[in-house]
Amino acid sequence: MSLRILSAELLKIRRKFIWFLIFLGPIGVVGLQAVNFGLRYDYLVGKVYRDDLWGGLIENVTILMVPTLFIGLAILASMVAGIEHQTNSWKQTLALPVTRTQVFTGKFLLNLLLLLVSTTLVAAGTIVLGIVLGFGTGIPYGVLLKACYYPFLAIVPFIALQNWLSVTFQNQAFPLTVGIAGMVVSMFSIRFGDWFPWKWPYLINAAKEPLYSVACGLAFGLVVLAAGLAHFVRKDVK
Amino acid sequence: MLALIRSEWLKIRRSVIWLLLLVSPGLAGLIGLFGVREEQPGGPFPWLIALALMTALHAMLFLPLLTGVYAALVCRYEHAGGGWKQLLSLPVTRTRVYIVKFLFVMGLVALTQLLFLAVLLLIGTAKGGGGAIPWSELLGSVGRGWLACLPLAALQLAVSTAWSSFAAPLAVNVVFTIPNMLVANSADYAPYYPWVQPLLAMMPHQNGYDFGAFTLPSLTLLSVVMGSFVVFFLGGWAYFARKAV
C-alpha cells in the first residue's frame, strides 16, 4: 500500500519543477565549489589542502550542502504539500480509500526519497569535480559517503517538521519562514550545546563521534513524525 | 492609487505576516544579547561590534530571503482562487497594481529594518550604552540595507506574479542567495552580486570587519544596486503588463 501511495505522490509531482529543484540543488552546491576551487586553484590546491586534496574538497562541499539541505527541504515540503493546498483537494485526497496515516507518511517518504536522490547527486558530483580538478583517483569513498549521508540522516527531524508544518498551514509563508530561520540558526549552531537539534547535521559533538549526531537525528525524527501524524489524523481539513 | 493601497492593506492585516516581521530581528537580538562581550566589564557598550554581529545573521541570508517571502505574500490572495482576474477587472491599471504591490513589499522590508534597529537600541541601552549611541552609523546601516533590497524585491515580485506556487519564487531567491556564503568573502566579485549587497551595505566599516568586499566605496554599491533594480523592475513590470491572468 505504501508503495502505491508513493507512486501516486510521484505522479502528482510531475511537471511541477520539483524534480528540477532536486537536480538544481546538488548542481548548485557542486558548481559553486567548482567556481571556488577554479578561481582559487593555486591557493586552495597548492597551499591549504595540499596534503589532503580530496578531504579538503569534501569538507568544502559539506559546508555548503548542509545549509542548502536545510532550506531545500523546507521548499520541497512546501511544494509537495502545496499540490493539495493550491487545488483545495485535501478533502478529495482523504476521501480516497486510504488512511490519513498513509497519506501523511506518504508525503514524508516522498520528501525523504527526493532528498536522498539529491544527496546521492552531491556525492556523485563531488567525485566528478575532484577528478576534473585533477585530484587523482584515490577517492576516499568512506569519507565521502559519510560526509554526504550522515548529515542527511541527522536532518530527518527537520524533514518531518517541515512536512508537518507545510501540511498543516494553508499559508505557506509560515512554514517557509521557519525553514529560513532554521537554516540561518543552523549556521550559528556551533555556539550552542550538543542538545541543539540544528547542530546535529553538522556532525559536531563533544564526543567527536558523528554517529551520535546521526542517532539523535533519527530518534528525534521519529518523534517529530509521530507527533505530526498524531496531529494530522485528528485535524479537520478544508 | 489610494484605494489600491487601502485594498492591499485590507488583504495583509491580521495575517501571519506580523509574526514573520519579528523573526529575523528577534533572532538577531538573541545573538546580540548573548554574543556581544564588553571589552572591559563596565566599559562602554560596543555598538558597532554588536551591529556587525547582528548584521552577519540578519543581512547575509535572512533579509534577502525574507524579501522573497514578502513578495510571495502580497501576491498570495490573487493566486488563490482567481483573484488576479477579479482585481484587474476593477477600474485600476496594471501598472498601478504592480507599483502598489512593490510599495508594500518594500514597506514590509522597512518595518523589518526598523524592528532590527529597535532591538539593537534596546539591547545597547539595557547594557548601559545609552549615552553614546552612534546614530549616524546605525541609521545609515539600516537605511542602506533597505536600499540594497530594492533590486531583490523587484525580481521577487516579478517571479511571484508569474508563478502561482508560493515556494517556487522562493526557490529562485534561494538559488541566488546561497552563493552569498562564498561571494561575501570575495573582494573581486561581491561588489557586482546584487544578492550580497544587503550584507555589504549594512556592515559597519570598522572593528576588524574590513576584509573582503566590506570596504567598498558606497558609490560602487549604489550603482550596482540601482542598476540591477532598474533592470529587474522594468522587466517585471513589462511582463506583468502583458501577462494573461
Side-chain angles (χ1 to χ4, degrees):
Chain A
M1 196 64 195
S2 288
L3 267 180
R4 287 182 59 197
I5 300 252
L6 200 58
S7 69
E9 289 293 336
L10 282 170
L11 199 66
K12 281 192 233 169
I13 63 161
R14 285 177 61 186
R15 294 171 173 262
K16 290 269 182 199
F17 283 109
I18 290 179
W19 278 110
F20 175 71
L21 289 178
I22 292 302
F23 281 82
L24 186 67
I27 291 171
V29 167
V30 175
L32 271 174
Q33 284 310 334
V35 173
N36 184 24
F37 273 78
L39 289 175
R40 301 195 293 163
Y41 193 86
D42 295 332
Y43 173 69
L44 289 178
V45 176
K47 273 170 75 181
V48 187
Y49 300 121
R50 198 174 48 196
D51 302 323
D52 184 13
L53 290 173
W54 278 103
L57 176 64
I58 292 167
E59 191 189 312
N60 272 278
V61 167
T62 327
I63 288 172
L64 264 184
M65 185 187 81
V66 176
T68 312
L69 260 180
F70 264 110
I71 188 71
L73 65 89
I75 291 179
L76 181 64
S78 169
M79 289 182 101
V80 166
I83 297 167
E84 266 82 7
H85 282 312
Q86 270 184 331
T87 48
N88 278 322
S89 55
W90 281 110
K91 268 201 198 311
Q92 219 162 37
T93 305
L94 296 177
L96 297 170
V98 289
T99 64
R100 287 189 172 215
T101 310
Q102 284 168 334
V103 171
F104 191 82
T105 42
K107 294 261 178 215
F108 171 75
L109 287 176
L110 177 70
N111 281 313
L112 207 63
L113 180 77
L114 291 173
L115 288 167
L116 184 67
V117 172
S118 276
T119 312
T120 309
L121 286 170
V122 170
T126 309
I127 295 176
V128 173
L129 177 59
I131 289 173
V132 170
L133 287 170
F135 291 177
T137 46
I139 304 161
Y141 287 105
V143 178
L144 175 67
L145 294 181
K146 278 180 194 168
C148 290
Y149 289 111
Y150 279 6
F152 167 72
L153 293 173
I155 217 163
V156 166
F158 298 98
I159 303 176
L161 175 72
Q162 291 296 147
N163 184 45
W164 182 8
L165 293 176
S166 288
V167 166
T168 303
F169 291 94
Q170 184 132 34
N171 187 348
Q172 293 297 307
F174 178 66
L176 283 167
T177 306
V178 172
I180 294 172
M183 171 179 72
V184 174
V185 165
S186 86
M187 297 174 69
F188 287 78
S189 65
I190 313 298
R191 296 160 178 261
F192 291 86
D194 289 344
W195 55 269
F196 195 59
W198 282 266
K199 192 179 177 183
W200 299 340
Y202 293 91
L203 308 177
I204 296 165
N205 52 46
K208 292 193 171 33
E209 175 52 68
L211 278 174
Y212 289 165
S213 300
V214 173
C216 287
L218 285 176
F220 194 51
L222 279 178
V223 173
V224 178
L225 178 65
L229 207 51
H231 173 236
F232 184 71
V233 294
R234 286 164 184 76
K235 178 179 169 303
D236 193 24
V237 293
K238 276 184 218 143
Chain B
M1 199 83 165
L2 218 70
L4 262 174
I5 292 176
R6 281 203 356 237
S7 94
E8 282 301 316
W9 168 247
L10 213 66
K11 286 179 217 165
I12 65 160
R13 68 173 204 175
R14 301 211 188 164
S15 67
V16 70
I17 207 158
W18 308 112
L19 261 173
L20 303 188
L21 291 176
L22 293 171
V23 175
S24 186
L27 285 171
L30 285 180
I31 284 281
L33 199 58
F34 298 111
V36 179
R37 305 253 179 283
E38 287 90 348
E39 263 123 64
Q40 62 269 76
F45 181 75
W47 282 103
L48 294 183
I49 293 177
L51 175 63
L53 194 67
M54 286 169 66
T55 293
L57 183 141
H58 170 70
M60 184 159 83
L61 297 166
F62 243 126
L63 192 55
L65 291 177
L66 274 179
T67 308
V69 173
Y70 297 154
L73 250 178
V74 299
C75 295
R76 179 171 176 269
Y77 290 94
E78 276 72 25
H79 281 309
W84 286 115
K85 274 199 202 307
Q86 219 161 41
L87 176 60
L88 295 178
S89 64
L90 299 172
V92 292
T93 64
R94 289 193 178 205
T95 304
R96 282 194 179 167
V97 169
Y98 198 74
I99 289 174
V100 168
K101 294 236 178 250
F102 184 76
L103 289 179
F104 265 85
V105 177
M106 286 316 290
L108 290 168
V109 175
L111 282 177
T112 311
Q113 291 294 82
L114 286 176
L115 280 170
F116 176 85
L117 181 66
V119 167
L120 177 56
L121 287 174
L122 214 69
I123 292 173
T125 317
K127 286 197 168 190
I133 301 173
W135 283 107
S136 64
E137 275 92 346
L138 297 190
L139 287 173
S141 163
V142 169
R144 284 195 306 270
W146 181 79
L147 272 181
C149 284
L150 279 170
L152 278 55
L155 179 70
Q156 285 309 125
L157 187 61
V159 286
S160 294
T161 51
W163 292 330
S164 59
S165 159
F166 198 101
L170 206 71
V172 173
N173 202 5
V174 167
V175 166
F176 289 114
T177 307
I178 292 267
N180 278 3
M181 290 188 256
L182 293 180
V183 173
N185 296 316
S186 161
D188 295 334
Y189 301 97
Y192 307 104
Y193 194 68
W195 287 265
V196 82
Q197 302 308 323
L199 177 64
L200 301 187
M202 285 190 73
M203 208 41 116
H205 284 186
Q206 292 125 356
N207 297 306
Y209 278 90
D210 40 6
F211 60 90
F214 292 118
T215 53
L216 273 153
S218 32
L219 198 64
T220 319
L221 299 184
L222 202 64
S223 56
V224 170
V225 166
M226 286 307 159
S228 50
F229 168 60
V230 169
V231 171
F232 292 154
F233 189 84
L234 289 182
W237 168 73
Y239 166 78
F240 185 71
R242 283 161 187 76
K243 176 182 190 279
V245 293

